Amino acid sequence: MYGNTIHKNNGYDPGSYTYYPIAIIGAGESGIAMGCRLKEALGFDQFRIFDRQAGIGGTWWINRYPGVACDVPAIFYSFSFCPNPKWTTFHPPGPEIVKYLHGVCDKYRIMDKIQLNTDVRECQWLEEEQVWEVKLQHLMTGVGDLSEYERSQKIQEHGREFVYVSEETIRAKVLISSVGGLVEPKVWPEEIPGKDKFQGRIFHSARWDYKVDLRDKDIIVVGTGCSAAQFVPKLTKEYGAKSVTQLMRSPPWVVPRQVPLFGEKGWEKWSPWLCSNVPGFAKVIRLLIAAGLEYDWRLFGSEDYHAKERKKVEDQLLAHMKRTVPKKYHQILQPDYGVGCKRRVLDATWFLGLNDPAIELTTLPLTSIGDNTVTLGPGRTYPDPADTTSSAPSHEMTLPADVIILANGFQTTKWLHPLDITGRGGKKLHDVFEERGGPQMYMGMALDGFPNFFTIFGPNTATGHSSVIMASENMVNMALKFIKPMIKGDVALTEIKKEAEIEWARDTQSALRKRVWNTGGCRSWYQTEEGWNSTVYPYSQIWFALHCMFPTWSDWDITYTRKGQAKKYAMKVLNTVALVALIVGGVKLRRMLQGRSLIALLKTYIRVTFMAGAGLLQTAASRVE
């Protein structure tokens, strides 16, 4: 009925739908990797990638704030199956990464497999047909670049026709979610009054509004994460802002960005030639970077060794901070938690930018906003207000404000939000998460009750120290091991066992409680308010890669087709024949040992083994008939 080709069912019928053997949600790096590997490794092109945004690249497409760049060296933050020898810098800007991802799609000829401006809203498993039914909503061009909150606001103000063009239902044998974690920006904190009165502009850094003129403006920036560290220094120097006041809840650990071989200028000059003309150069550099980043995993454990290693690194980072930023910030920029407890800021410009007299960093909390002002304080978010030895400001003050930029992160604990996924028996995926204590999936990839459904870079797969692309590639390659027999018609259903999923989640959360993320004393976007950490993987990426290369097959329920069952039986017969033939050949060889040369013995052994095997095969074949 369904088969392995894309086709239309039911023609003019109102229940008409398009069938895709494989449907992929998301055209970011994970979705692109899956599409490319389906073609390269399996030779399969009967799939479609759906993305609500107006362009390809996922988080790199949508994040266009000033200074956006990769903080992991690009030679490692790229696909192993499609290296780029001509990166212009060691840490290239966002537009160059988008260009690279487009080039990958062109090289593997999957550009025509990507359907943009298409929002996947509902996915339901049809038990009788054993396929996924997926409801798509086709969007007005560009509307998908808005956040879920912004689209809802647009519908309330103007009506659905200003957001949605039409709806469509499709079906798919295999459903793959490549929805990233940094998707939905956090909204305005409702506990802070006055937003409705503010006469200026408010926007999130992940939805940067370049129509807003920042020249001679007083700007308030809420947040001190990785994005803010990249764009804040540019607001005064390149965009002519009159003043920038940056609000920090607690200080991040700031790590000087890695300097490449030959230095920044030398790398820019020589690396394209070396990577293109010296065999193995790029692979060696990639391996060295990967090994160096993996060594950072030593910071995350709870043993005495890990604590001592953290202390060494913390001392180095504090010394760097005190050398770089004005003395007035030393107290508020000294974290009171272990390094690695929340995401480190890999920095090249932020600390230096704090020397700009037009930029002010404060831990006074935002308490209200007026027509063209913001009120900060009284009190402070850091250090603890009860610490009477601290001289950090805690008084109330009112500042002029023309623009407020939110750099307060993403809704990272709402995995697969806002997808509505219904599995076997009408069970909702998010209900299962809630029943089991928090978002969880076996290896971040699969959940029992949701057959033929794979998630790339799902819960508890972020590393905190390595390249997200490497982690995604590992998951893609593992998923292909289960997808291959399905597209060959040997397997009908693949599903993780409930006990395996629960045990994986139990072990993961248990290990996390012993790592710095749960013991380091910080609040981070890795965890829910209840303390459930659904973000980080508690072991090394080497260990995760090994799990992906060698799956624990006994953890999975695999339902074979008749064709697949026949192949399994044939393989059992062949294995049995090979074993018996070896035994028979060995017995006969032993009888012929005396007085024969080694070469003659080997020839006899091969002939006897072959004849024994052929005889056994003929017997087995007659029994099958």
Side-chain angles (χ1 to χ4, degrees):
M1 177 182 177
Y2 292 105
N4 258 352
T5 58
I6 300 172
H7 58 268
K8 191 79 172 176
N9 277 19
N10 299 335
Y12 292 110
D13 198 319
S16 173
Y17 61 86
T18 303
Y19 169 75
Y20 298 94
I22 299 176
I24 302 169
I25 308 170
E29 54 91 6
S30 293
I32 290 169
M34 177 57 76
C36 292
R37 295 292 291 154
L38 281 170
K39 289 197 71 174
E40 180 188 45
L42 304 187
F44 190 74
D45 68 353
Q46 297 297 289
F47 61 87
R48 183 61 56 91
I49 303 174
F50 301 97
D51 199 296
R52 75 182 186 201
Q53 293 179 171
I56 297 166
T59 190
W60 290 106
W61 165 262
I62 202 63
N63 278 274
R64 304 175 204 169
Y65 57 81
V68 59
C70 186
D71 57 12
V72 173
I75 200 167
F76 185 40
Y77 194 88
S78 49
F79 298 124
S80 63
F81 60 83
C82 192
N84 177 19
K86 296 185 178 180
W87 292 109
T88 60
T89 67
F90 201 53
H91 298 92
E96 188 174 349
I97 296 172
V98 171
K99 183 180 178 181
Y100 164 73
L101 293 174
H102 286 189
V104 174
C105 294
D106 287 337
K107 179 178 179 178
Y108 287 87
R109 298 185 179 181
I110 66 167
M111 198 68 81
D112 62 327
K113 302 297 180 183
I114 300 173
Q115 184 171 314
L116 301 173
N117 300 301
T118 305
D119 194 16
V120 178
R121 303 300 297 182
E122 297 178 27
C123 309
Q124 182 171 5
W125 174 252
L126 304 181
E127 183 66 33
E128 188 174 343
E129 291 90 342
Q130 295 195 339
V131 293
W132 284 96
E133 185 171 80
V134 180
K135 292 186 179 179
L136 310 176
Q137 291 181 329
H138 301 287
L139 304 168
M140 297 286 289
T141 301
V143 171
D145 288 353
L146 301 176
S147 68
E148 178 76 7
Y149 174 78
E150 290 170 323
R151 288 199 304 278
S152 298
Q153 291 292 103
K154 195 174 184 70
I155 290 172
Q156 288 179 18
E157 294 172 9
H158 304 289
R160 288 180 62 82
E161 63 273 16
F162 280 81
V163 174
Y164 300 111
V165 177
S166 61
E167 293 187 355
E168 180 187 1
T169 298
I170 67 167
R171 291 186 179 182
K173 186 68 175 175
V174 178
L175 182 64
I176 301 169
S177 170
S178 295
V179 177
L182 306 182
V183 176
E184 287 298 319
K186 286 185 178 178
V187 298
W188 177 262
E190 294 299 330
E191 68 272 14
I192 299 173
K195 180 188 175 187
D196 54 332
K197 297 186 297 185
F198 188 60
Q199 298 300 306
R201 294 298 302 272
I202 301 174
F203 59 85
H204 197 282
S205 62
R207 299 296 186 274
W208 195 273
D209 190 347
Y210 277 99
K211 295 192 294 293
V212 178
D213 183 7
L214 302 179
R215 186 166 297 279
D216 295 324
K217 298 295 194 303
D218 293 305
I219 301 173
I220 307 298
V221 176
V222 181
T224 52
C226 297
S227 298
Q230 291 182 336
F231 74 74
V232 162
K234 292 184 175 291
L235 297 181
T236 54
K237 288 184 171 59
E238 296 183 19
Y239 288 83
K242 182 196 299 184
S243 71
V244 176
T245 302
Q246 189 176 13
L247 311 184
M248 178 171 69
R249 186 175 64 181
S250 64
W253 282 103
V254 178
V255 181
R257 202 166 68 177
Q258 186 176 353
V259 177
L261 186 69
F262 316 127
E264 294 285 354
K265 295 296 181 184
W267 180 264
E268 291 171 16
K269 179 179 179 180
W270 292 107
S271 69
W273 187 89
L274 290 168
C275 291
S276 300
N277 296 284
V278 179
F281 177 81
K283 288 185 178 179
V284 169
I285 296 296
R286 181 184 173 97
L287 179 61
L288 290 174
I289 293 170
L293 293 175
E294 194 66 14
Y295 181 59
D296 275 355
W297 194 83
R298 76 194 190 284
L299 304 176
F300 305 147
S302 58
E303 304 296 330
D304 287 343
Y305 164 75
H306 302 115
K308 290 176 182 177
E309 289 296 303
R310 277 198 297 275
K311 183 64 168 59
K312 290 179 190 176
V313 173
E314 289 166 7
D315 289 344
Q316 294 169 2
L317 296 182
L318 288 175
H320 165 70
M321 181 269 290
K322 291 175 180 178
R323 286 193 307 268
T324 313
V325 305
K327 188 174 182 180
K328 65 178 180 177
Y329 296 136
H330 288 185
Q331 280 190 351
I332 65 173
L333 280 173
Q334 184 163 328
D336 61 355
Y337 58 88
V339 63
C341 183
K342 64 179 181 179
R343 193 165 190 259
R344 295 166 293 172
V345 173
L346 305 178
D347 173 50
T349 59
W350 182 47
F351 268 7
L352 289 172
L354 291 177
N355 291 280
D356 186 338
I359 296 176
E360 185 72 21
L361 178 67
T362 180
T363 56
L364 292 172
L366 177 61
T367 50
S368 68
I369 60 177
D371 293 349
N372 52 13
T373 61
V374 298
T375 299
L376 308 180
R380 63 178 181 237
T381 59
Y382 190 89
D384 189 335
D387 182 2
T388 56
T389 64
S390 173
S391 59
S394 60
H395 60 282
E396 180 177 297
M397 61 187 300
T398 299
L399 301 175
D402 301 304
V403 179
I404 299 176
I405 302 173
L406 298 177
N408 57 342
F410 298 84
Q411 300 177 38
T412 53
T413 58
K414 295 184 177 181
W415 287 93
L416 303 177
H417 174 75
L419 275 174
D420 181 4
I421 305 176
T422 306
R424 185 179 284 118
K427 200 74 172 179
K428 301 281 188 182
L429 180 136
H430 290 96
D431 289 344
V432 176
F433 287 170
E434 189 173 343
E435 290 170 6
R436 296 185 184 178
Q440 57 182 271
M441 300 182 87
Y442 179 88
M443 293 188 67
M445 290 180 58
L447 191 64
D448 54 285
F450 296 80
N452 295 3
F453 175 61
F454 300 93
T455 295
I456 306 301
F457 211 73
N460 295 111
T461 51
T463 63
H465 68 287
S466 189
S467 167
V468 65
I469 285 190
M470 186 179 81
S472 292
E473 271 199 68
N474 284 330
M475 283 176 265
V476 166
N477 291 333
M478 178 171 170
L480 291 179
K481 298 179 191 299
F482 297 96
I483 292 170
K484 181 178 180 179
M486 284 195 274
I487 63 177
K488 291 179 72 173
D490 296 336
V491 168
L493 297 176
T494 298
E495 183 179 349
I496 191 65
K497 294 177 181 176
K498 182 177 180 179
E499 57 270 25
E501 195 286 324
I502 290 175
E503 173 55 25
W504 180 273
R506 185 207 62 76
D507 177 74
T508 298
Q509 295 302 316
S510 175
L512 283 168
R513 284 192 287 272
K514 302 172 186 175
R515 305 289 190 265
V516 69
W517 303 292
N518 283 44
T519 62
C522 75
R523 291 177 59 195
S524 75
W525 52 266
Y526 294 156
Q527 301 177 31
T528 64
E529 290 295 329
E530 295 75 29
W532 184 273
N533 189 331
S534 62
T535 306
V536 186
Y537 180 66
Y539 303 107
S540 75
Q541 268 302 292
I542 295 173
W543 186 243
F544 187 78
L546 289 171
H547 272 290
C548 290
M549 285 190 284
F550 306 103
T552 306
W553 296 101
S554 59
D555 286 348
W556 297 80
D557 277 327
I558 298 176
T559 304
Y560 289 88
T561 61
R562 291 182 64 183
K563 174 184 171 185
Q565 288 285 8
K567 284 187 177 180
K568 276 187 68 179
Y569 179 77
M571 285 303 299
K572 283 183 179 179
V573 170
L574 283 173
N575 289 336
T576 303
V577 166
L579 178 62
V580 173
L582 286 171
I583 294 171
V584 171
V587 170
K588 291 191 176 182
L589 180 65
R590 188 177 179 183
R591 295 172 182 170
M592 303 174 184
L593 281 176
Q594 290 186 346
R596 304 290 296 274
S597 69
L598 179 62
I599 294 176
L601 286 173
L602 286 173
K603 287 181 178 179
T604 303
Y605 178 68
I606 292 169
R607 185 177 69 254
V608 169
T609 302
F610 177 78
M611 292 176 63
L616 287 165
L617 274 175
Q618 187 175 5
T619 303
S622 64
R623 288 182 179 177
V624 171
E625 292 173 0

